[in-house]
Amino acid sequence: MNARRVEKIVLWLLFWYYLAPYYLLKKYLFRNNKHQILWSSLSSIIIVFALFGWWMNSIPDDDSDTAAPAKTHYVVKKVGQGELTRAKAKEKVLNKEEKKKQAEYEKLSASLKEEKTKAKKEAEKRAKEIEEEHREANTQAAVHSNNHVATNHTVENHGDMNTAETGRIVGNRNSHIYHVPGQAGYRMNSSNAVYFNSEAEAKAAGYRKALR
């Protein structure tokens, strides 16, 4: 504010808030009072202060429309040396336990892996053993079959009779081959011998002639 504006405000206040109330109070309220001027002056001053206070409160604040920015308060808590030491010790214990659990987990994982590998090897070994047993059984069966065939062949070749000595057409019941007199002799079991009167009869029975 400049000086001229202040002067106008003071004069306006003196006139309306002091001189006018003083005049009205002196003329109407305290006209019959012995101390008319004193009471009028005091009353005017009180009215001036009351109205001035009301006027000052009614003036809007320039900063009232602007919301104050929110302030963030940081609370810094000071930790004592003892608490800091205990916190570090606790952290150290927790780290140690964590490392211990990690080691146990790794050990358990390695053990499980080893068990799986061992079980796999055992299964492969058992499969090989079964395969060897089957192969051996097949080999023994083949040998037994060959021995049986060889035995039958030996029995046939070393039977209790010779076809050349019979002087007749003789057929073998097992091989369905017949021999005629004059061919090479063939030993066979007499229980398997079938005699024919002619080659036509032998052929009609489903037999064929020996090659030698």
Side-chain angles (χ1 to χ4, degrees), residues 14-208:
L14 288 176
F15 179 78
W16 289 106
Y17 289 95
Y18 180 75
L19 294 178
Y22 173 78
Y23 175 77
L24 293 174
L25 289 172
K26 181 180 178 182
K27 183 176 181 180
Y28 295 101
L29 186 61
F30 300 112
R31 61 182 178 178
N32 297 324
N33 196 299
K34 182 178 179 180
H35 304 285
Q36 183 183 13
I37 297 175
L38 177 62
W39 287 111
S40 297
S41 299
L42 291 175
S43 299
S44 299
I45 292 172
I46 293 172
I47 292 173
V48 168
F49 277 104
L51 293 176
F52 183 75
W54 173 80
W55 177 67
M56 290 297 294
N57 290 330
S58 63
I59 296 176
D61 192 359
D62 294 337
D63 298 333
S64 60
D65 296 335
T66 304
K71 294 183 179 180
T72 304
H73 297 281
Y74 295 95
V75 178
V76 180
K77 184 178 180 181
K78 294 184 178 180
V79 181
Q81 186 65 28
E83 293 183 2
L84 181 61
T85 303
R86 285 192 294 272
K88 288 183 178 180
K90 186 176 180 180
E91 183 180 3
K92 186 176 180 181
V93 172
L94 292 175
N95 291 335
K96 187 176 180 180
E97 291 180 355
E98 184 178 359
K99 290 181 179 179
K100 184 178 179 180
K101 290 181 179 179
Q102 183 67 23
E104 292 178 354
Y105 172 77
E106 292 177 355
K107 184 178 179 181
L108 181 60
S109 298
S111 178
L112 291 175
K113 186 176 181 181
E114 184 178 357
E115 289 294 333
K116 289 182 179 179
T117 304
K118 186 176 179 181
K120 185 178 180 180
K121 289 182 179 179
E122 290 290 337
E124 292 176 353
K125 183 179 179 181
R126 181 58 183 166
K128 288 182 180 179
E129 290 178 354
I130 294 174
E131 185 179 357
E132 290 293 335
E133 290 177 357
H134 288 170
R135 188 182 293 112
E136 185 177 356
N138 292 334
T139 302
Q140 290 179 357
V143 172
H144 181 71
S145 178
N146 292 335
N147 290 336
H148 181 69
V149 172
T151 301
N152 290 338
H153 184 70
T154 302
V155 170
E156 289 180 355
N157 290 336
H158 299 84
D160 57 355
M161 64 172 289
N162 193 325
T163 59
E165 296 175 354
T166 61
R168 298 175 60 183
I169 299 175
V170 182
N172 191 323
R173 195 186 307 276
N174 292 332
S175 63
H176 282 71
I177 298 174
Y178 68 88
H179 294 262
V180 298
Q183 286 185 311
Y186 178 76
R187 298 194 65 83
M188 60 178 291
N189 292 327
S190 58
S191 60
N192 295 329
V194 179
Y195 297 95
F196 300 100
N197 294 323
S198 63
E199 291 188 44
E201 184 182 355
K203 291 178 180 179
Y207 286 75
R208 69 175 180 84

